[in-house]
Amino acid sequence: MPKAVKTKRTYNSPRRAEQAAATRVAILDAAQKLFEEQGYAATSMASIAKEAGVALKTVYLAFDTKSGLLRALWHLRLRGDEAPSPVGERDWYREVMEEPDPARQLELNARNSRVVKARVGALMEVIRSGARSDADVDALWSNIQAEFLDNQRSIIESLQRKKALARGLKVDRAADILWTLNHPDLYQLLVSERGWTPEQYEKWLADATASQLLR
């Protein structure tokens, strides 16, 4: 009689997965704190490990490189979670694209701008400065700018299909206007430098984009 073949059982512990997820969050939070306080170049993986209360090896196993950690942190704060779907597929962005009223579209876009920039405003400065000394971070910065413009252009194209753009305003120029008014630099200037509340910024952005873009 042939012997039964033993198969290796896969050990899958929900508790272990939860612990790993909690460790990852702790590392990301520690990295953001140090990046924003010290800058990208001055922050080491060792200092991130110490701040997170984990071994240095744990940080490298989770993120491989410092630029990889920064990229993961950016995607988490931009999207709101670690799911892989891009901004264009997120419910909060799709709500803008599917809104039939042009003015309301720009109000929703301003709302999203406030929410996202509250999460990523300071982090964008870290990425911008880090791009000067790290090729991977430079590539991340370039990709951020390109994706942001693409997303704003999609909103403009939606307004054009509704025949809602101001008379004589072309898509390219309108996309540049929306990209500029909605750029994180303006949020930083008005909220961080001039002391506006995020809610005041949201109202201003909705009004300014409607005034500049709509009939």
Side-chain angles (χ1 to χ4, degrees), residues 103 106-114 187 190-191 196-211:
L106 294 177
E107 289 175 357
L108 292 172
N109 195 46
R111 178 206 63 188
N112 291 346
S113 178
R114 171 185 59 79
Y187 179 88
L190 294 174
V191 177
W196 288 26
T197 67
E199 291 73 22
Q200 287 172 329
Y201 163 82
E202 178 184 340
K203 178 66 166 56
W204 168 82
L205 181 60
D207 291 345
T209 52
S211 173

Side-chain angles (χ1 to χ4, degrees), residues 6-23:
K6 292 184 178 180
T7 58
K8 188 175 181 179
R9 296 176 62 185
T10 301
Y11 180 66
N12 181 19
S13 167
R15 183 176 180 183
R16 179 176 295 180
E18 289 174 3
Q19 290 173 338
T23 297

Side-chain angles (χ1 to χ4, degrees), residues 94-124:
R94 298 307 310 169
E95 184 182 8
V96 176
M97 298 302 295
E98 294 167 6
E99 169 58 48
D101 179 72
R104 180 57 179 161
Q105 272 190 286
L106 294 177
E107 289 175 357
L108 292 172
N109 195 46
R111 178 206 63 188
N112 291 346
S113 178
R114 171 185 59 79
V115 171
V116 171
K117 288 176 179 61
R119 294 197 301 252
V120 305
L123 189 59
M124 283 199 76

Side-chain angles (χ1 to χ4, degrees), residues 100-176:
D101 179 72
R104 180 57 179 161
Q105 272 190 286
L106 294 177
E107 289 175 357
L108 292 172
N109 195 46
R111 178 206 63 188
N112 291 346
S113 178
R114 171 185 59 79
V115 171
V116 171
K117 288 176 179 61
R119 294 197 301 252
V120 305
L123 189 59
M124 283 199 76
E125 291 303 310
V126 172
I127 298 170
R128 190 206 303 266
S129 62
R132 302 188 188 107
S133 59
D134 188 303
D136 288 341
V137 179
D138 184 54
L140 173 61
W141 176 250
S142 296
N143 188 59
I144 288 169
Q145 297 298 301
E147 286 188 352
F148 181 47
L149 179 57
D150 286 345
N151 288 333
Q152 300 309 293
R153 185 184 178 89
S154 293
I155 295 170
I156 293 298
E157 290 171 345
S158 172
L159 293 173
Q160 183 195 42
R161 289 192 294 272
K162 297 182 178 74
K163 302 186 185 304
L165 288 180
R167 193 176 305 278
L169 185 60
K170 303 299 183 184
V171 167
D172 286 347
R173 177 61 64 88
D176 287 346

Side-chain angles (χ1 to χ4, degrees), residues 55-110:
L56 178 58
K57 181 180 179 181
T58 301
V59 178
Y60 276 109
L61 285 174
F63 297 102
D64 193 35
T65 64
K66 186 167 73 167
S67 62
L69 198 166
L70 180 60
R71 182 181 295 273
L73 178 59
W74 165 255
H75 287 312
L76 172 63
R77 297 299 186 244
L78 174 66
R79 299 168 181 174
D81 58 52
E82 291 201 79
S85 55
V87 167
E89 297 176 8
R90 297 279 163 163
D91 288 344
W92 47 268
Y93 182 81
R94 298 307 310 169
E95 184 182 8
V96 176
M97 298 302 295
E98 294 167 6
E99 169 58 48
D101 179 72
R104 180 57 179 161
Q105 272 190 286
L106 294 177
E107 289 175 357
L108 292 172
N109 195 46

